Amino acid sequence: MNEYSNSEFGTRAEPPVSLNPGTSLLIALGAGLLIGAIIHTLRPAPKPQQRLARLLADMEDRLREVSAPALHKVGNLAMNGAEALGSRVDRGEAQVEKLIRNAARRLRQLVP
């Protein structure tokens, strides 16, 4: 049926590969590239909606990366502003209390 056994076939194929390793490597590389090109052409092209969705997701990611430092600074400024406003409110309350105490003291002085 078959004039060569598996072990004989392996020994017969070995000498051309060992004699020309560069050529064998180039042939294997070419075959891999050819198979990759065939697979790439057989894959269906993405629909416009899919391409648009990918593009928008990529834009969103890039905007998030670019705006992160600015958002961090804005957050810090907002916290500082809130702290400053809180201290002003506290001072304002203290001034109102002082005004009421002074007015009450003056009213007591006027009433015998």
Side-chain angles (χ1 to χ4, degrees), residues 11 22-24 43 54 74 82 97 99:
T11 57
T23 305
S24 300
R43 254 189 5 210
R54 255 189 265 148
V74 166
E97 287 177 19
L99 178 70

Side-chain angles (χ1 to χ4, degrees), residues 43-83:
R43 254 189 5 210
K47 294 180 181 178
Q49 294 89 351
Q50 293 170 333
R51 289 193 341 228
L52 182 61
R54 255 189 265 148
L55 177 66
L56 289 175
D58 185 44
M59 288 173 62
E60 184 180 351
D61 291 341
R62 288 182 186 206
L63 282 173
R64 196 173 286 128
E65 289 173 5
V66 170
S67 64
L71 288 175
H72 183 69
K73 284 183 181 179
V74 166
N76 286 341
L77 287 173
M79 287 178 57
N80 293 342
E83 289 172 5

